[in-house]
Amino acid sequence: MSNTQHLARKTVQALTPYLSARRIGGKGHIWLNANEAPDCSEYQLDSSKLNRYPEFQPPALINAYASYAGVNNEQLLTTRGADESIEILIRTFCEPGIDSILICPPTYGMYAISAETCGVAIEEVALDAQFDVDYFAVNRPSIKAIAKLKSFFYVLRITQRAICLIGRN
């Protein structure tokens, strides 16, 4: 243990180091477990308007996505990547040692890493045979802390989604 390692919270000391999909191993060039799309469309980039530190909650992006998704601007939060949004949701809505999240493996590893880092319990229900959420299993009483679930993270067609369960019955 390093000179500073003992200063970290016990939950942080007990964490298993994150292993990226490439470090876990495997063969091929498509890494779905690394949150990569199986194909790549051609695109062009005009870097003349790029800003090193993007504007927080950029109005043009918020307005365009709200219009596309049919939601109000106030319902959207833009982040600098999936990891940041996962951290924000867990830190904002889950009390360490009290609340839990639900994940449906196989899924993105950062859900569990962020929950463990924040001291939030993790409930798991495997995806069904078609790799869809098994909603019957999710609603079974066997989920230990169903009353304490605050967020439900799942991957659907390579797109990460999070449903906040705040204020649900």
Side-chain angles (χ1 to χ4, degrees):
M1 191 175 288
S2 73
N3 291 339
T4 57
Q5 218 171 3
H6 72 281
L7 300 173
R9 293 180 11 239
K10 298 294 181 208
T11 55
V12 173
Q13 290 180 31
L15 286 174
T16 301
Y18 173 72
L19 294 174
S20 69
R22 285 182 180 78
R23 288 184 64 197
I24 291 170
K27 299 190 185 315
H29 61 279
I30 297 174
W31 299 85
L32 297 180
N33 61 342
N35 200 32
E36 293 181 3
D39 60 1
C40 181
S41 301
E42 200 172 311
Y43 67 93
Q44 293 184 2
L45 176 66
D46 174 7
S47 62
S48 65
K49 296 182 180 180
L50 292 180
N51 184 338
R52 185 170 178 191
Y53 297 101
E55 182 179 7
F56 178 73
Q57 298 301 104
L61 175 63
I62 296 288
N63 292 336
Y65 193 80
S67 176
Y68 166 78
V71 298
N72 296 323
N73 292 14
E74 301 78 30
Q75 294 175 281
L76 298 176
L77 172 69
T78 60
T79 60
R80 278 71 178 171
D83 294 357
E84 182 183 32
S85 62
I86 293 165
E87 284 283 325
I88 288 171
L89 288 170
I90 291 174
R91 288 182 187 199
T92 301
F93 296 110
C94 296
E95 290 289 344
I98 297 172
D99 296 320
S100 63
I101 67 165
L102 174 66
I103 59 175
C104 298
T107 192
Y108 187 45
M110 285 307 294
Y111 301 130
I113 296 286
S114 293
E116 290 173 356
T117 303
C118 295
V120 171
I122 302 162
E123 299 291 337
E124 293 186 17
V125 172
L127 295 174
D128 68 17
Q130 288 75 40
F131 292 98
D132 289 323
V133 175
D134 184 346
Y135 292 103
F136 293 110
V138 167
N139 286 311
R140 283 189 198 127
S142 60
I143 300 292
K144 294 176 218 145
I146 196 82
K148 295 181 180 184
L149 280 176
K150 286 286 185 77
S151 287
F152 172 19
F153 293 101
Y154 66 100
V155 177
L156 180 62
R157 294 181 183 86
I158 317 305
T159 303
Q160 292 185 22
R161 300 177 190 248
I163 299 174
C164 283
L165 302 174
I166 309 305
R168 70 179 186 92
N169 294 330

